[in-house]
Amino acid sequence: KNYATSLRYKWTTNTDVTGYKVYQYNYKTKKYKCVKTIKNTATTKDGVIKKFKFKKLSTAKKYRFRVKTYLTYNKKTYKSSPCTGKTTYTKPATDKVIRMRRSKKKKTISVAFGRLPRVTGYNVKIATNKKFTKGVKVKSTRTKKGFVVIRKLNKKKTYYAKVRGYLKVGSKIYY
């Protein structure tokens, strides 16, 4: 499961091993580094899902992880070959609307927001109520300017806005 600054990694347990070594890939050194060793307990059963949460990660960034099993027998440790590495991305940070400016003559609203690092674009959502259930308009933009203009609005209505950044990798979009 992906979050803005953390990721959850899961795998199926095996009772024949002593434990697991969780590795994180470093793109600068092009090597994996062991970040956590997790031991099997007496209550561990075969086929149970084991989870590990990576914390304090950067937002909207690519990460790769993998797991190796190890067995300790006669005071000697044997490691398995690693499983295939899983590549994923953290979600972009949340963004706030800094300013909404309505033009007096035209039926437009300019929405200004803070720029987020490493995002592909932004979704700006406009609605006529605070719960964003009525009169909803969504505009996706790939702007680097930090604002977007939304047109064809009713002059007499009050509008609310919210913004979220997204990261597009291939056909997958991370919000």
Side-chain angles (χ1 to χ4, degrees):
K1 182 135 179 159
N2 299 17
Y3 301 97
T5 58
S6 63
L7 293 168
R8 190 174 295 156
Y9 192 73
K10 299 191 267 183
W11 65 92
T12 307
T13 59
N14 183 350
T15 54
D16 297 333
V17 298
T18 308
Y20 308 92
K21 291 190 179 273
V22 182
Y23 291 85
Q24 181 177 349
Y25 188 72
N26 184 332
Y27 286 95
K28 288 182 183 176
T29 62
K30 298 187 179 182
K31 293 182 180 180
Y32 281 94
K33 179 184 175 189
C34 183
V35 291
K36 183 74 176 180
T37 301
I38 302 170
K39 291 185 178 181
N40 267 348
T41 60
T43 58
T44 303
K45 296 178 183 174
D46 262 345
V48 176
I49 302 295
K50 200 84 156 165
K51 298 176 189 173
F52 179 70
K53 191 171 185 178
F54 295 93
K55 298 178 182 177
K56 297 181 182 178
L57 302 175
S58 298
T59 59
K61 196 169 177 186
K62 181 179 181 179
Y63 289 95
R64 181 182 286 169
F65 304 101
R66 69 181 183 190
V67 176
K68 279 186 183 181
T69 59
Y70 72 93
L71 175 68
T72 305
Y73 182 72
N74 288 338
K75 297 181 182 180
K76 192 168 183 178
T77 302
Y78 302 93
K79 293 180 189 174
S80 71
S81 58
C83 67
T84 307
K86 178 168 173 53
T87 303
T88 189
Y89 292 80
T90 52
K91 291 183 177 183
T94 56
D95 203 358
K96 294 181 182 176
V97 173
I98 296 172
R99 178 181 68 245
M100 276 182 58
R101 188 172 287 154
R102 183 179 213 137
S103 74
K104 294 179 181 177
K105 296 179 183 178
K106 298 178 184 175
K107 299 176 184 179
T108 64
I109 290 179
S110 174
V111 180
F113 47 87
R115 291 183 287 180
L116 297 173
R118 298 177 296 278
V119 295
T120 308
Y122 299 90
N123 275 357
V124 180
K125 191 182 246 188
I126 300 285
T128 55
N129 64 349
K130 287 183 179 180
K131 292 184 179 180
F132 290 85
T133 56
K134 295 182 181 177
V136 177
K137 285 190 175 198
V138 178
K139 183 166 185 175
S140 292
T141 179
R142 294 183 133 207
T143 184
K144 299 286 183 189
K145 297 175 185 175
F147 74 92
V148 67
V149 177
I150 299 177
R151 304 178 194 294
K152 297 180 184 178
L153 299 174
N154 191 334
K155 286 183 183 179
K156 297 178 182 179
K157 290 194 176 184
T158 302
Y159 288 94
Y160 301 90
K162 62 183 177 179
V163 179
R164 68 178 177 176
Y166 66 87
L167 174 67
K168 187 172 182 180
V169 181
S171 62
K172 189 158 172 99
I173 298 175
Y174 297 90
Y175 290 103

